[in-house]
Amino acid sequence: MDSSLKLICSGVAITLTFVAFVPYIRSIFAEATKPHIFSWIIWGTTTSIVFFAQLEAEGGIGAWPIGVSGFVAAFIALLAFIKRSDASITKMDWVFFLSALASLPFWYFTSNPLWAVVVLTIVDLLGFGPTIRKAYDFPHQENMAFFLLFMARNIFALLALENYSLATLLFPLSVGIACLFLLVMVGYRRRIVHTE
């Protein structure tokens, strides 16, 4: 794929990031969406670090959507804290959160961007734990359009990468698959909860 097409894919991915996040943030202010603070702290931290690791692994303009997403995810974590969005923090949520935070220092000790991305991808996927647990119990409190757009964003971020390697592919591919899983699970739970 030539560089102008990769730039277009990166632009589409960044646009989809904002198209997903703006309504999601509005729904937080309207109290229709109640993000889990632990998930968003993890996602903001790991996504920002993966952005720098992807740049080091020569991901180029394909890394830009990940950087934008990291910044906005940190903002959503702040909103979740300010609005006290989720009061249903469980012991299992603490396990996911502390496991994710405990894993973060490992990326620092690896001078190789691949190992940093592997560790951070695992940590980021752990961040889905509290959201999946909450969405299972309260499927109508999650915004499915957001996760659908986010999955599409990751597809375009993958297409925009200037260098394809495990270090550049692993994170957006894994997050895209996790979004797909969450969408399927929430859709299923909404039908079940609706009929109960």
Side-chain angles (χ1 to χ4, degrees), residues 12-27:
V12 169
I14 291 170
T15 301
L16 285 173
T17 299
F18 285 111
V19 167
F21 275 128
V22 168
Y24 191 82
I25 291 168
R26 278 193 201 137
S27 71

Side-chain angles (χ1 to χ4, degrees), residues 46 50 100 102-108 110 113-126 170:
T46 56
V50 166
S103 304
L104 284 176
F106 292 115
W107 79 269
Y108 177 78
T110 65
L114 170 61
W115 286 111
V117 170
V118 167
V119 169
L120 292 167
T121 299
I122 292 168
V123 171
D124 201 76
L125 292 175
L126 285 172
L170 182 64

Side-chain angles (χ1 to χ4, degrees), residues 135-194:
Y136 185 86
D137 291 339
F138 307 104
H140 295 285
Q141 288 184 3
E142 278 306 327
N143 185 318
M144 289 181 71
F146 170 79
F147 287 101
L148 181 63
L149 288 167
F150 218 68
M151 185 178 69
R153 187 286 313 253
N154 283 320
I155 292 168
F156 281 100
L158 287 166
L159 292 172
L161 288 169
E162 292 179 24
N163 178 34
Y164 291 102
S165 67
L166 191 55
T168 60
L169 290 169
L170 182 64
F171 185 81
L173 183 62
S174 298
V175 172
I177 291 169
C179 287
L180 177 62
F181 173 79
L182 187 66
L183 284 166
V184 170
M185 189 268 299
V186 168
Y188 172 76
R189 287 293 298 157
R190 282 183 178 183
R191 282 194 298 275
I192 297 297
V193 169
H194 184 70

Side-chain angles (χ1 to χ4, degrees), residues 89-108:
I89 295 173
T90 67
K91 288 180 183 176
M92 183 55 86
D93 293 342
W94 278 103
V95 169
F96 281 119
F97 184 64
L98 295 175
S99 297
L101 290 182
S103 304
L104 284 176
F106 292 115
W107 79 269
Y108 177 78

